[in-house]
Amino acid sequence: MATAKYPITPKGATGVLVLADGTCVFGRGFGAVGDAVGEVCFNTAITGYQEIMTDPSYAGQIITFTFPHIGNVGTNPEDVEREAPHALGCIVREDVTEPSNFRNVQGFDAWMAQTGRIGISGVDTRALTRRIRMQGAPNAVIAHDPAGKFDLAALHDKAKSWPGLEGMDLALTVTGQHRAWEGGAWTLGQGYAQGEGSEKPHVVAIDYGAKDNIFRSLVKAGARVTVLPATASYDDIMALNPAGVFLSNGPGDPAATGEYAVPVIRKLLDANMPIFGICLGHQMLALAAGAKTIKMHQGHRGANHPVKHLEKNVVEITSMNHGFAVDAASLPNNVKETHVSLFDGSNCGIAFTDKNAFGVQYHPEASPGPQDSFYLFEKFVGGLG
């Protein structure tokens, strides 16, 4: 890393990450050619890079993978969480090698190029991760030029001028349309199961940037699912006569998305509608209760995060992806804290004491990640009758 204004591009460097403070991190570019600006974060998962890149919660972010071997199993059309990637790009330690997996359809490099995502390899990801942990998640530009010609001053200006995720509503950029969801859990050789049956409890899922495996998990737990966009009104939801409402994950600042989403959630709570929220949905459920959310120093991203269930006194290993958190000290008297992070004690779950509504900060649907928390889908759907 170098902080001089501006360093000479090293011989052979075809990729660069330029931070808002002028720091330049060089490497070998792969995937799409060009540049993109966003917040740099790190993810500690050792599997599931394709699911991570296609998670809409990563909109506006550049992912530093702490696991060094990313791309070695290639890509395939089944291991995606939305139809296209939403992370802006990724930073990895080792060069992307030829794929070695019987499910591979397309190499990671080619897939990144086809989907317009930029990658940089050959980076000391340990040093970059340490920097994020100590100084917080920086704004930056990631760039790839096969000729290695970079206007570092222009890239620096672009990084400095980007406003950052705080106060930014990104749910509107990634939300889906009104649709009846089809498809349940995936099994090798059989693909995705079908979740048919009008007699099943009807769950309306609000899509603030949901991963598809959330809807599959609801189906697996026994629900019939209809998906509505982030801007769905109370009347839009109630017209479908749901047994319960699910609030999905998504990117950006929950307070910004909450400007239009929280009033709807409050009406649902007033109507005693059963509600289950995860990640962004969990945060906005807390906002609807009168609590506050805060921007985290580095956030939690990975598939190996320990969370304590306070009532059961057990630990779940969870999948996480969030840069904001609920301020537990701001929770009202009718909302109790149910889960906490064993990394930093931050809030990871809430439940109303006077309503059938609860939420968790982590991703119980995993994909990628452990399956410790699937019981939450069963708890929600099973309580709908």
Side-chain angles (χ1 to χ4, degrees):
M1 297 186 183
T3 55
K5 291 194 174 181
Y6 291 94
I8 297 173
T9 300
K11 184 178 180 180
T14 56
V16 66
L17 182 75
V18 182
L19 276 57
D21 68 355
T23 299
C24 298
V25 183
F26 293 97
R28 293 176 289 276
F30 65 92
V33 174
D35 63 74
V37 61
E39 180 179 282
V40 184
C41 62
F42 65 87
N43 186 296
T44 57
I46 63 174
T47 60
Y49 54 82
Q50 192 178 1
E51 292 97 321
I52 292 166
M53 290 296 296
T54 54
D55 180 351
S57 293
Y58 279 110
Q61 294 168 82
I62 302 162
I63 305 170
T64 305
F65 284 104
T66 62
F67 186 69
H69 302 287
I70 298 298
N72 55 344
V73 299
T75 66
N76 68 76
E78 289 184 320
D79 289 352
V80 295
E81 286 303 317
R82 283 297 270 264
E83 65 282 355
H86 288 282
L88 298 169
C90 67
I91 304 158
V92 302
R93 177 67 185 93
E94 300 294 335
D95 289 337
V96 177
T97 59
E98 287 298 310
S100 179
N101 188 279
F102 72 100
R103 296 180 64 229
N104 171 65
V105 173
Q106 185 179 32
F108 187 52
D109 186 346
W111 180 81
M112 289 278 286
Q114 179 182 311
T115 55
R117 307 294 118 169
I118 301 169
I120 305 176
S121 65
V123 171
D124 185 347
T125 51
R126 294 174 300 176
L128 184 55
T129 298
R130 274 198 306 270
R131 180 189 175 99
I132 295 170
R133 291 187 63 183
M134 294 174 65
Q135 301 182 31
N139 297 341
V141 172
I142 186 171
H144 173 204
D145 179 5
K149 297 185 180 299
F150 301 107
D151 186 339
L152 298 177
L155 296 177
H156 183 203
D157 286 343
K158 191 170 185 177
K160 287 191 298 181
S161 63
W162 193 66
L165 293 178
E166 195 162 7
M168 188 175 290
D169 173 27
L170 291 176
L172 292 178
T173 69
V174 297
T175 188
Q177 300 301 311
H178 182 168
R179 62 199 186 278
W181 180 260
E182 298 180 0
W186 179 88
T187 53
L188 181 63
Q190 299 180 28
Y192 296 106
Q194 294 304 305
E196 301 174 354
S198 59
E199 74 285 354
K200 295 181 177 181
H202 184 203
V203 171
V204 170
I206 310 302
D207 179 7
Y208 302 114
K211 293 167 62 182
D212 286 348
N213 204 50
I214 290 173
F215 307 138
R216 299 181 193 121
S217 296
L218 287 168
V219 170
K220 182 180 179 181
R224 175 172 62 91
V225 180
T226 299
V227 182
L228 289 183
T231 53
S233 68
Y234 174 79
D235 291 339
D236 292 335
I237 296 168
M238 298 305 290
L240 296 172
N241 193 28
V245 173
F246 176 82
L247 309 175
S248 85
N249 66 295
D253 188 336
T257 303
E259 289 292 326
Y260 54 86
V262 164
V264 175
I265 297 170
R266 284 180 176 151
K267 287 185 179 181
L268 292 170
L269 288 169
D270 289 342
N272 290 315
M273 176 65 65
I275 299 175
F276 174 29
I278 71 165
C279 202
L280 180 66
H282 158 77
Q283 295 162 357
M284 291 195 296
L285 181 62
L287 290 173
K292 298 178 181 179
T293 56
I294 53 177
K295 180 77 164 65
M296 302 179 75
H297 178 68
Q298 65 188 42
H300 291 162
R301 298 171 181 88
N304 45 14
H305 286 252
V307 167
K308 185 176 182 179
H309 190 304
L310 297 178
E311 290 187 355
K312 294 183 178 180
N313 198 32
V314 297
V315 176
E316 303 169 29
I317 304 301
T318 70
S319 180
M320 286 192 176
N321 172 19
H322 61 105
F324 293 81
V326 173
D327 180 1
S330 69
L331 291 172
N333 292 334
N334 67 325
V335 179
K336 62 181 180 180
E337 186 172 50
T338 58
H339 300 73
V340 296
S341 166
L342 290 182
F343 280 155
D344 59 13
S346 60
N347 175 264
C348 288
I350 61 171
F352 283 69
T353 59
D354 55 353
K355 299 180 185 297
N356 184 6
F358 65 98
V360 292
Q361 182 59 72
Y362 51 95
H363 284 249
E365 85 289 349
S367 189
Q371 305 294 318
D372 297 26
S373 307
F374 181 77
Y375 73 90
L376 291 164
F377 291 104
E378 296 174 326
K379 172 186 175 182
F380 174 58
V381 177
L384 300 180

